[in-house]
Amino acid sequence: MEHAEPAVGVRVELEYELTRQDMRQALRARAKVSASERRLRIITVVIAVLMVASAVIQLSDGSELNFQMGLGVYAVVMLGVLRPLLMARQFHKLATRHGGSRALVDDRSVTVTNAGGSSELNWTAAPRYAETPDTFVLLSADKNASCLTVLPKRGAREARGADALRALLDRHIARI
């Protein structure tokens, strides 16, 4: 069975309100390509491993684990767990302060509009994207992917809107 190429001139319209889950997925996708996020993850893991190793050495010598060491291990672990959740919460707050959004994606650009204004991104401004279970995340080209645009699949007005959007994105920008 052959699949026909999507026609040029396709437009996909979305109407949505971002959720915290959308932001968590978007930030997780961004973290995969962000150099600063990779460095932070490595530093956090190294510190956690060193602290746990130090605690194990203390305990194996018959010493008691001092309060500061235990608190330090706990803090590093919690930082690794809570940081993504807190970031998603903060980004969600910022992204939804103007209410729901509408997006129009076509062969020329992506335009997102809400009560606070409108922004239009041509394909060179967001030259790559990631697909998560619930969203498409458009990312800037810089090494930290400092700009992102989140397009929830559920916002598509047509039944096959997510498929049409994926085809449009694949035609214009790189999937990561």
Side-chain angles (χ1 to χ4, degrees), residues 33-99:
V33 298
S34 170
S36 64
E37 286 294 323
R38 277 193 305 273
R39 277 192 305 273
L40 184 60
R41 235 182 356 258
I42 290 168
I43 289 168
T44 303
V45 168
V46 167
I47 290 171
V49 167
L50 291 173
M51 292 182 87
V52 168
S54 179
V56 167
I57 291 169
Q58 275 185 1
L59 292 172
S60 69
D61 287 346
S63 305
E64 287 187 21
L65 185 63
N66 67 35
F67 178 75
Q68 290 87 0
M69 180 61 74
L71 186 62
V73 170
Y74 179 76
V76 169
V77 169
M78 293 312 299
L79 177 66
V81 172
L82 291 178
R83 184 178 172 275
L85 298 173
L86 294 173
M87 279 182 61
R89 181 176 176 217
Q90 193 61 32
F91 271 80
H92 176 255
K93 238 187 219 184
L94 290 170
T96 60
R97 70 176 175 229
H98 297 295

Side-chain angles (χ1 to χ4, degrees), residues 3-176:
H3 293 286
E5 272 297 306
V8 174
V10 172
R11 306 168 36 128
V12 177
E13 294 182 46
L14 299 101
E15 197 167 321
Y16 56 89
E17 287 196 36
L18 289 172
T19 65
R20 284 188 187 159
Q21 181 63 20
D22 294 335
M23 292 311 299
R24 274 195 289 274
Q25 289 180 20
L27 290 172
R28 217 175 286 130
R30 178 185 165 269
K32 291 178 183 176
V33 298
S34 170
S36 64
E37 286 294 323
R38 277 193 305 273
R39 277 192 305 273
L40 184 60
R41 235 182 356 258
I42 290 168
I43 289 168
T44 303
V45 168
V46 167
I47 290 171
V49 167
L50 291 173
M51 292 182 87
V52 168
S54 179
V56 167
I57 291 169
Q58 275 185 1
L59 292 172
S60 69
D61 287 346
S63 305
E64 287 187 21
L65 185 63
N66 67 35
F67 178 75
Q68 290 87 0
M69 180 61 74
L71 186 62
V73 170
Y74 179 76
V76 169
V77 169
M78 293 312 299
L79 177 66
V81 172
L82 291 178
R83 184 178 172 275
L85 298 173
L86 294 173
M87 279 182 61
R89 181 176 176 217
Q90 193 61 32
F91 271 80
H92 176 255
K93 238 187 219 184
L94 290 170
T96 60
R97 70 176 175 229
H98 297 295
S101 297
R102 295 181 116 150
L104 172 64
V105 184
D106 60 26
D107 284 312
R108 200 172 45 84
S109 63
V110 177
T111 304
V112 178
T113 306
N114 62 31
S118 179
S119 69
E120 183 176 5
L121 299 167
N122 63 25
W123 295 115
T124 57
R128 55 192 174 159
Y129 82 97
E131 183 174 355
T132 72
D134 302 317
T135 66
F136 293 100
V137 184
L138 283 59
L139 300 160
S140 58
D142 61 291
K143 67 181 179 176
N144 291 318
S146 57
C147 296
L148 58 89
T149 302
V150 184
L151 301 173
K153 294 175 183 178
R154 70 179 175 285
R157 290 185 174 174
E158 289 87 37
R160 296 193 43 84
D163 294 332
L165 182 53
R166 183 181 304 106
L168 254 172
L169 296 175
D170 283 340
R171 189 165 53 243
H172 294 286
I173 58 179
R175 185 188 309 215
I176 57 166

